[in-house]
Amino acid sequence: MKYRDLVIVGGGPAGMAAALAARAAGVEDILLLERDQHLGGILNQCIHPGFGLHHFKAELTGPEYADRFARLVMETPGIEVSLRSFVIKFTKDRDISYLRPGAMEEIRARAVILATGCRERTREMIQIPGERPAGVYPAGLAQKMVNMEGWIPGKEAVIVGSGDIGLIMARRMALEGVKVKGVIEIQKTSRGLVRNVVQCLEDFSIPLYFQHRILKIHGAARVEKVEVVRVDDKFTDIPGSVFEIACDTVLVSVGLIPENELLEMAGAEIDRATNTPVAPAVNLTSIPGVFACGNACKVYDLADWVTRDSELAGKMAAQYLKTR
Amino acid sequence: MIYDVVIVGAGITGAAIARELSRYKLAVLLLEKEAEPAFGVSKSNSGIIHAGTQNPPASVKAWLCVEGNRLMREEIAADLGLNFVQCGQLIAVFDLGDLPELEKIKKEGEALGIKGLEIVDRAWLDEREPNLGPEVQAALYVPSAGIISPYRFVYALVENAVKNGVELKTSQKVSAIRRGADGVFELETGGEKHNSRFLVNAAGLFADEISAMAGAPTFKITPRKGEEYLLDKKREHIANHIIFPLPTKTSKGILIIKTSDGNPMIGPTALDVEDKTDLSTTESGLAEVLSGARRMMPSISKSDIIAYFAGLRPVSGKDFIIRHEDSVPGLINAAGIQSPGLTSAPAIAVMVAGLLARHGLPLEPKAEFHRLRPRPAHLFQVPLEETCRLVAKNPAYGDIVCRCELVSSQEIYEAIKRGATTLDGIKFRTRAQAGRCHGGFCTTRIIKIMQEELGFPVTAVTKRGPGSELIKDERK
Ligand SMILES: Cc1cc2nc3c(=O)[nH]c(=O)nc-3n(C[C@H](O)[C@H](O)[C@H](O)COP(=O)(O)OP(=O)(O)OC[C@H]3O[C@@H](n4cnc5c(N)ncnc54)[C@H](O)[C@@H]3O)c2cc1C
Ligand SMILES: Cc1cc2nc3c(=O)[nH]c(=O)nc-3n(C[C@H](O)[C@H](O)[C@H](O)COP(=O)(O)OP(=O)(O)OC[C@H]3O[C@@H](n4cnc5c(N)ncnc54)[C@H](O)[C@@H]3O)c2cc1C
């Protein structure tokens, strides 16, 4: 069994900030595992500006923000980065198994920081009934298709959910010439930033339907239309208020879920409603020497706050290693 | 060319018949209207290999089910490398007054030759099913029942049939059938024509239309919808058996089904519908399934659900229609294959081969029949040591594409090599995209692998065949 002082799982802004802070606090042997081919996590697909206003006092795009950290991480002696390395097993004794092309590795860590980010809630989780045609995508997947691959998923879109990702994707699709026919929000207000409602919807004349929900998705092979209904304050459908919107694409942006399957595998306590670690303070878990930071710890709206709190996680891990 | 037999429909019924006929010196063509096999009824069901209880005692399907179950356990699972799990079944009662009903099911089952049936009490259940709710009083234990992945069952049969010489043609919708002067069937599919001496109709929901096209409008198929809801793999160990409630007059009952891929499933509903293409799920269906399942296991919650679908049982009366149509010599119908069609398929295939022989098709065994099909390796099915060995042998097993279900790029390549041409075809074969994130993570990577391997432009990649393209345009 190979031993490492600190293993960090996830090379997004959280994992990178934690690695740098732990190094600065004196940890000399750090292994950063990232399943993707590059560092940066979800920021690589967020090509819009609006990152770093707090941390760098400058307005950067997601990839620019990530690059500033990635360069430092790669240059810092004492931090080893292993890309295309997918952690598949984790135990309470901090044994880690990960796969990379050509090998499965098994190591034991003295401390671990999980910075595995989050996944999107899906159409299935909010149980939108109807048929299951092509053309229904989680908004983050559509963002990856458009920004990373240059693929335009459809011609006429309806967006479900007015959180920041939904709003940003409404604008992104409109900029690519897709007709965005509306954003459907079941609540009375948007969960997203005010600046996003203004810059992403109002500036593009995209209608925002508050207190509405999708009743049904239609289409045998590809989406053809959605049925929308108005709801009252108790989320009950208002009779007679159903209308249809013709579209070939539905982007679902209904929230994020922290990815804590590894932590759960190790037997840590997880809050089933939020999928976050149960612990007395931020970055902690119920297993000593195992920390969770960034979107794995709780869902953040700004990468800047992820960086701030994850630096703290790096220091906490360093502290833990010193007192052991 | 004139085939000896054309089979219409590559669902479980047609696939099993094709594989059975591939034992003999025959020219056989399997025609399917969808882009891949198993895209009809056979993809959306409970995946249970029933023991054979609870069928009408004098029905054809009663003994076909028992025989299909035996063939699975004793031959097919091992020969075709299928992941069949004989987990057993429980038929639960909420009222001890219903015990005579269980006794009756037990007696009828025993008369059909089903072994090991046993009525078990609450103490027995507490030991083996700790999550049962307080209302459950006793159950009938049916040890020979099990579970299987329905689409991988179809793919295995088709692959093995093709290996033994059957021709498979997909995206071929039979639109007209004529009879030549010499008695040969002439089938039209789009622009193509296929000639055959015998015609086997295994067209599922559309079998009535095919039979009528061939000159025998002798039955009508009506769809009976069943909605099913899949739970997160984290709940894998919630149930150790397939659990049925005793059916009542008003409800057939909602089951808790262990699946061979790990995710427990709850369902199905049973509702007669008009439209043979209506695969929509409904809010009332969800409510019925949840309350039914929670009566047996109260800890099941709505937030456990990660996926859902609906299937349509092809129903014509109470039994299967498996017969030679004497008004159209050479036409064999294997129709109205409602539940337990998945279980019965291997036995139906043997019966159909017998009917063909009786009506003049000589069945002469091939010198060499390849009975065995090597089992494809799936990381999610093997222990970590085996994963290690696979990765060392082939680095692509260490290249994870689907994070929720742990599917490597090697498995995607393999699925394409074995015939997958659509995103759903890859999902059914490998489970990539079938987990809790629903392809949020892996879809773009899979599309790129498909582009490379199949030479498609991205705008031609589909979810399940023409019309279901995923990408409309590429940024210039
Ligand atoms: C679709 C989407 C769009 C977003 N858009 C914005 C936005 O526009 N503006 C904004 O301020 N915030 C946005 N956010 C919020 C954003 O997630 C956070 O600001 C920040 O990126 C979170 O950082 P993180 O490092 O915690 O997670 P991530 O950036 O998600 O990084 C997690 C990393 O862990 C890796 N990983 C996970 N599991 C494993 C494993 N088992 N083995 C190895 N590696 C693993 C992943 O590959 C990933 O690189 C968005 C989030 C999502 C999901
Ligand atoms: C909700 C539900 C749960 C079920 N659970 C179980 C279970 O647990 N156990 C069990 O044993 N059974 C179960 N069943 C029953 C089982 O699924 C069916 O009996 C079985 O799948 C029928 O298979 P098939 O091959 O006859 O039909 P299909 O799978 O529909 O195959 C027919 C094929 O013919 C093709 N076709 C149709 N028309 C044409 C044409 N004109 N030209 C060319 N091709 C054509 C179709 O595309 C299709 O692929 C269940 C069914 C449902 C709906």
Side-chain angles (χ1 to χ4, degrees):
Chain A
M1 182 77 77
K2 276 182 261 177
Y3 282 84
R4 307 296 298 240
D5 283 345
L6 175 61
V7 175
I8 300 175
V9 184
M16 294 193 292
L20 291 167
R23 184 71 195 87
V27 185
E28 284 169 1
D29 171 34
I30 302 175
L31 175 63
L32 177 60
L33 299 172
E34 167 55 51
R35 67 183 167 203
D36 213 333
Q37 320 190 24
H38 26 65
L39 294 173
I42 206 80
L43 294 183
N44 289 313
Q45 67 184 62
C46 301
I47 62 170
H48 54 277
F51 296 84
L53 286 166
H54 301 274
H55 191 80
F56 291 114
K57 309 283 178 251
E59 185 161 26
L60 308 174
T61 65
E64 286 167 353
Y65 185 88
D67 274 354
R68 292 202 179 185
F69 290 96
R71 235 176 296 130
L72 278 176
V73 168
M74 299 305 260
E75 282 165 5
T76 305
I79 305 179
E80 183 193 337
V81 176
S82 181
L83 297 173
R84 302 184 73 185
S85 301
F86 192 121
V87 178
I88 58 168
K89 197 171 157 219
F90 181 48
T91 72
K92 64 175 187 347
D93 302 320
R94 298 185 296 275
D95 288 345
I96 293 174
S97 312
Y98 64 96
L99 279 173
R100 57 182 178 81
M104 193 176 91
E105 309 280 359
E106 298 188 276
I107 49 175
R108 176 166 290 184
R110 295 189 173 88
V112 170
I113 300 177
L114 298 168
T116 46
C118 49
R119 62 174 176 271
E120 296 185 83
R121 281 163 61 88
T122 62
R123 171 208 174 162
E124 286 74 13
M125 297 199 62
I126 57 165
Q127 285 126 13
I128 304 177
E131 290 165 284
R132 296 187 336 289
V136 185
Y137 302 107
L141 170 60
Q143 185 180 47
K144 186 154 137 195
M145 287 174 166
V146 177
N147 293 347
M148 309 286 282
E149 310 296 342
W151 302 339
I152 314 300
K155 297 201 184 306
E156 298 193 320
V158 165
I159 292 172
V160 184
S162 68
D164 286 315
I165 302 174
L167 297 173
I168 283 175
M169 277 317 288
R171 172 175 66 185
R172 191 75 193 92
M173 298 285 276
L175 285 171
E176 288 296 342
V178 176
K179 184 147 180 47
V180 181
K181 294 187 134 176
V183 175
I184 313 293
E185 171 59 63
I186 196 164
Q187 304 286 346
K188 278 184 191 165
T189 54
S190 164
R191 282 179 289 117
L193 300 169
V194 177
R195 69 159 196 249
N196 281 338
V197 176
V198 175
Q199 294 170 3
C200 300
L201 300 188
E202 293 173 12
D203 292 359
F204 290 82
S205 311
I206 296 170
L208 174 52
Y209 297 93
F210 285 124
Q211 292 198 289
H212 281 75
R213 70 175 192 116
I214 302 255
L215 195 57
K216 219 165 179 183
I217 295 175
H218 292 270
R222 174 88 196 194
V223 176
E224 287 160 18
K225 63 182 180 191
V226 293
E227 269 178 60
V228 180
V229 65
R230 204 182 144 79
V231 298
D232 64 19
D233 288 358
K234 296 199 183 77
F235 305 110
T236 314
D237 299 349
I238 297 176
S241 67
V242 179
F243 63 99
E244 292 180 355
I245 305 179
C247 59
D248 62 9
T249 305
V250 177
L251 299 190
V252 182
S253 172
V254 289
L256 302 172
I257 304 168
E259 290 241 86
N260 282 309
E261 276 61 38
L262 291 173
L263 197 54
E264 194 172 355
M265 205 184 281
E269 241 186 289
I270 303 280
D271 180 329
R272 266 187 86 189
T274 56
N275 219 39
T276 52
V278 176
V282 69
N283 298 335
L284 289 176
T285 72
S286 61
I287 305 178
V290 177
F291 304 84
C293 68
N295 274 357
C297 175
K298 62 178 192 198
V299 177
Y300 288 84
D301 27 317
L302 285 181
D304 298 72
W305 308 141
V306 169
T307 302
R308 180 197 61 200
D309 285 0
S310 300
E311 285 174 345
L312 176 63
K315 285 188 204 135
M316 290 163 80
Q319 192 59 35
Y320 171 83
L321 286 168
K322 267 187 213 139
T323 54
R324 230 177 120 247
Chain B
M1 111 157 246
I2 301 178
Y3 291 96
D4 294 308
V5 183
V6 170
I7 303 163
V8 182
I12 192 66
T13 309
I17 295 169
R19 198 242 180 188
E20 182 61 27
L21 294 182
S22 75
R23 296 173 189 272
Y24 306 105
K25 290 181 183 159
L26 298 171
V28 179
L29 172 65
L30 178 59
L31 284 179
E32 170 54 53
K33 73 175 162 68
E34 300 294 330
E36 295 188 40
F39 279 16
V41 183
S42 299
K43 75 166 184 305
S44 338
N45 54 59
S46 308
I48 301 169
I49 297 302
H50 290 280
T53 53
Q54 289 170 288
N55 290 311
S59 60
V60 178
K61 67 182 188 184
W63 70 266
L64 285 174
C65 183
V66 176
E67 176 62 4
N69 175 288
R70 185 192 69 81
L71 285 170
M72 175 61 73
R73 283 183 290 116
E74 295 179 4
E75 293 175 23
I76 293 179
D79 285 0
L80 297 182
L82 294 170
N83 190 27
F84 166 68
V85 183
Q86 193 183 330
C87 56
Q89 171 193 340
L90 295 170
I91 304 171
V93 293
F94 299 112
D95 179 350
L96 289 176
D98 286 334
L99 280 180
E101 266 308 302
L102 286 190
E103 287 288 356
K104 182 164 167 263
I105 296 173
K106 179 167 180 274
K107 269 213 194 75
E108 286 173 358
E110 282 164 349
L112 281 165
I114 304 170
K115 302 238 157 52
L117 299 176
E118 187 189 342
I119 291 182
V120 296
D121 62 12
R122 183 70 210 204
W124 189 101
L125 292 168
D126 281 337
E127 214 171 288
R128 293 161 181 88
E129 288 291 357
N131 297 316
L132 280 178
E135 280 194 80
V136 176
Q137 305 294 332
L140 177 63
Y141 173 51
V142 185
S144 57
I147 46 176
I148 199 163
S149 152
Y151 16 84
R152 285 199 283 277
F153 185 10
V154 177
Y155 292 133
L157 286 164
V158 172
E159 253 176 54
N160 190 245
V162 169
K163 164 112 186 158
N164 285 300
V166 169
E167 244 183 277
L168 166 71
K169 292 193 172 175
T170 54
S171 298
Q172 299 265 341
K173 180 175 179 174
V174 176
S175 54
I177 302 173
R178 271 178 298 275
R179 202 79 201 256
D182 46 1
V184 166
F185 290 100
E186 298 173 7
L187 283 78
E188 212 177 285
T189 55
E192 291 185 46
K193 284 209 169 69
H194 313 280
N195 296 326
S196 179
R197 274 184 272 277
F198 287 84
L199 176 60
V200 174
N201 172 17
L205 289 164
F206 304 92
D208 50 352
E209 294 169 27
I210 295 291
S211 186
M213 271 183 220
T218 51
F219 58 91
K220 186 172 163 12
I221 303 273
T222 47
R224 183 171 298 153
K225 193 197 275 189
E227 297 181 24
E228 311 245 26
Y229 293 80
L230 277 153
L231 311 184
D232 196 305
K233 228 179 200 167
K234 289 179 202 168
R235 308 286 278 162
E236 180 163 1
H237 301 293
I238 191 166
N240 299 315
H241 302 82
I242 310 152
I243 309 177
F244 286 57
L246 183 72
T248 63
K249 273 188 206 73
T250 48
S251 157
K252 278 215 156 32
I254 297 300
L255 328 181
I256 297 168
I257 307 156
K258 206 178 158 63
T259 67
S260 67
D261 290 347
N263 308 65
M265 191 158 75
I266 54 178
T269 56
L271 186 72
D272 287 328
V273 294
E274 302 268 297
D275 182 356
K276 289 180 178 178
T277 62
D278 174 9
L279 292 174
S280 61
T281 49
T282 60
E283 289 181 345
S284 56
L286 170 62
E288 180 189 339
V289 167
L290 258 183
S291 73
R294 290 175 60 155
R295 184 153 186 223
M296 294 192 290
M297 275 193 188
S299 64
I300 292 175
S301 100
K302 195 169 168 177
S303 66
D304 291 327
I305 296 173
I306 63 155
Y308 42 84
F309 61 82
L312 297 171
R313 306 167 183 86
V315 176
S316 185
K318 286 198 164 30
D319 207 351
F320 298 159
I321 299 173
I322 302 169
R323 65 183 177 217
H324 178 261
E325 292 286 345
D326 293 339
S327 62
V328 183
L331 169 63
I332 310 279
N333 277 319
I337 310 296
Q338 47 183 292
S339 201
L342 188 72
T343 311
S344 309
I348 293 174
V350 175
M351 182 174 170
V352 166
L355 284 170
L356 285 165
R358 207 171 323 137
H359 289 88
L361 179 70
L363 300 183
E364 198 187 322
K366 279 178 186 156
E368 195 187 22
F369 170 63
H370 305 277
R371 191 166 52 85
L372 304 180
R373 165 192 177 259
R375 182 191 195 125
H378 293 297
L379 296 187
F380 81 89
Q381 290 175 342
V382 303
L384 229 46
E385 306 79 70
E386 173 69 4
T387 302
C388 257
R389 207 186 53 76
L390 287 169
V391 175
K393 208 176 68 182
N394 182 344
Y397 278 113
D399 174 18
I400 297 303
V401 172
C402 166
R403 65 172 175 203
C404 305
E405 298 295 316
L406 199 66
V407 183
S408 62
S409 62
Q410 179 55 33
E411 290 159 75
I412 311 283
Y413 292 125
E414 180 76 21
I416 294 173
K417 215 166 66 203
R418 288 172 185 252
T421 56
T422 66
L423 218 52
D424 275 358
I426 287 177
K427 173 165 84 180
F428 295 154
R429 284 177 177 84
T430 66
R431 289 198 57 74
Q433 320 154 65
R436 55 182 81 91
C437 94
H438 282 272
F441 179 71
C442 62
T443 302
T444 54
R445 178 81 196 281
I446 297 173
I447 292 177
K448 284 200 273 189
I449 295 178
M450 287 171 74
Q451 281 183 273
E452 275 164 37
E453 295 295 299
L454 297 163
F456 290 170
V458 70
T459 47
V461 177
T462 66
K463 180 168 162 59
R464 52 170 169 259
S468 65
E469 286 73 20
L470 292 150
I471 304 294
K472 291 281 175 162
D473 210 353
E474 268 185 282
R475 202 158 68 226
K476 312 294 172 289

